[in-house]
Amino acid sequence: MCDTCGCHALGKEGGSSGFTVDVHRSLLEANRKQAEGNRLHLERLGATALNLISSPGSGKTTLLEHTADALMPGFSMGVIEGDIETERDAERIRKKGIPAVQLTTGGACHLDAPLVHQGIHRLVEHAGRDNFDFVFIENVGNLVCPSTFDLGEHRRIVLVSVPEGSDKPAKYPATFERADLFLITKTDLLPYFDFSLAEARKEALEVNPDLEIIELSAVSGQGMADWIAWLRNLRN
Amino acid sequence: MHELSLATGLVSTLEGLVREHGASRVIKARVGLGRRSGIVEESFRFGFDALKLESPSLRDALLETIVLDGDDLILMQVEME
């Protein structure tokens, strides 16, 4: 009970000229509609879109840099970067010769579908072409909030790096429940951290039995072939 | 933190309903939170309680939440006068 939230007053009803309206309206509906629009838009560009979700520093941008090296000869890609501030990630990706646009949320902890819609238009303009095989959407570094918002992606990927610890799937179940692929990154650091691959796999699959899991290190290259094969398979 | 943007959506939806029904204020709004929505009820409530003070028709509105299956956030019922 407290005065701040008004919970002390809950239950005091009647005696007024009030009336009740059944609404049953989703507050996520506006985002969902725009996400459907984004999906169609991306499909018109020929693109398979991937939403990358993870904590800050789990290696999303580094993975994309190395992915570009492996994919670029045969496939075209574009990147929509989401961050609270700065163009830095987009600049890193552009250095690889990949069209990239930066969305800065100005404080918001997640990308939403209307913002990504702008990103798609800016990407087409920046790239000077309207066809892509893959559009990667790198969400704001945050393992919680982005999971609520459909961006119009075709597949959702969650990343956890070895230094973060293997308990993340159990701690952030909603994010894993809604993902298609779980990437365990920075596996070259396994000798130096107390990270149990078995625990991470087991707990992730308990939350989402359909989740695919790939272990990789973008720096050593271990597991990268599996990741690239997974991507190529999306285009078959 | 995304709860604040969702609470903003609730505020504008409620303001629209007040206009639509020619009411003067919202007494109570009942919202269903999906178990898998990833939305923290306390944060959502905190956001709503901060935002409602800016809106004359919502200033005294109470927020009642119930837990639903699924991953949605649904405005279920609104009591107005």
Side-chain angles (χ1 to χ4, degrees):
Chain A
M1 297 290 178
C2 64
D3 291 333
T4 314
C5 75
C7 60
H8 65 287
L10 272 180
K12 282 186 192 168
E13 290 180 49
S16 73
S17 54
F19 60 99
T20 301
V21 178
D22 284 323
V23 184
H24 215 82
R25 187 184 300 173
S26 172
L27 296 169
L28 299 170
E29 191 57 27
N31 186 76
R32 196 172 295 143
K33 276 189 186 147
Q34 182 62 62
E36 284 307 323
N38 289 354
R39 223 174 329 267
L40 286 173
H41 196 152
L42 288 157
E43 282 161 15
R44 278 205 297 276
L45 301 176
T48 301
L50 303 155
N51 179 2
L52 273 61
I53 297 177
S54 79
S55 305
S58 68
K60 292 188 292 297
T61 313
T62 301
L63 176 67
L64 289 179
E65 288 171 322
H66 288 263
T67 301
D69 292 335
L71 274 184
M72 280 295 263
F75 296 92
S76 63
M77 58 187 270
V79 176
I80 297 172
E81 289 282 349
D83 269 308
I84 290 175
E85 293 290 347
T86 84
E87 281 268 323
R88 286 176 197 174
D89 282 357
E91 284 164 9
R92 280 175 60 185
I93 298 293
R94 281 184 212 126
K95 280 190 185 146
K96 286 282 176 183
I98 303 161
V101 293
Q102 183 83 47
L103 301 172
T104 48
T105 64
C109 49
H110 61 273
L111 290 176
D112 59 24
L115 202 52
V116 168
H117 181 233
Q118 290 175 29
I120 297 168
H121 281 283
R122 283 179 46 205
L123 182 64
V124 167
E125 194 178 322
H126 170 75
R129 60 188 161 89
D130 57 5
N131 59 83
F132 297 90
D133 293 315
F134 293 102
V135 169
F136 293 90
I137 305 166
E138 187 181 329
N139 221 309
V140 177
N142 182 328
L143 204 49
V144 185
C145 309
S147 83
T148 305
F149 298 88
D150 183 359
L151 304 179
E153 71 268 23
H154 297 96
R155 293 287 189 283
R156 189 176 284 199
I157 301 168
V158 57
L159 298 84
V160 171
S161 64
V162 163
E164 292 170 60
S166 41
D167 57 358
K168 293 298 169 289
K171 284 187 172 173
Y172 301 93
T175 305
F176 288 83
E177 204 169 336
R178 295 161 150 215
D180 299 293
L181 175 66
F182 172 22
L183 291 180
I184 301 173
T185 63
K186 306 190 189 179
T187 53
D188 54 306
L189 299 177
L190 277 169
Y192 313 105
F193 288 89
D194 183 21
F195 186 101
S196 163
L197 288 172
E199 180 194 25
R201 279 181 168 273
K202 177 174 165 288
E203 292 186 344
L205 290 172
E206 275 171 13
V207 172
N208 178 355
D210 298 324
L211 192 64
E212 293 185 79
I213 304 174
I214 296 173
E215 298 153 16
L216 60 81
S217 163
V219 174
S220 77
Q222 182 257 324
M224 282 296 284
D226 295 335
W227 158 240
I228 297 301
W230 186 87
L231 288 172
R232 285 174 178 268
N233 195 41
L234 294 176
R235 300 296 296 177
N236 288 336
Chain B
M1 195 175 147
H2 65 308
E3 284 80 0
L4 187 61
S5 60
L6 297 171
T8 307
L10 174 60
V11 165
S12 56
T13 303
L14 289 174
E15 285 174 336
L17 287 166
V18 164
R19 281 194 299 275
E20 198 179 304
H21 290 274
S24 60
R25 68 181 190 101
V26 170
I27 299 167
K28 188 162 78 179
R30 178 181 288 173
V31 172
L33 288 163
R35 218 181 293 279
R36 300 188 297 121
S37 64
I39 298 161
V40 179
E41 190 210 324
E42 290 75 11
S43 305
F44 182 67
R45 182 178 291 283
F46 181 81
F48 178 73
D49 284 341
L51 293 167
K52 73 181 186 183
L53 299 177
E54 307 293 318
S55 173
S57 60
L58 300 182
R59 177 167 286 274
D60 299 315
L62 298 177
L63 177 64
E64 185 182 287
T65 54
I66 59 168
V67 176
L68 301 175
D69 283 336
D71 54 15
D72 215 331
L73 174 69
I74 297 171
L75 174 59
M76 304 179 73
Q77 213 174 48
V78 183
E79 192 182 333
M80 293 176 270
E81 68 174 8

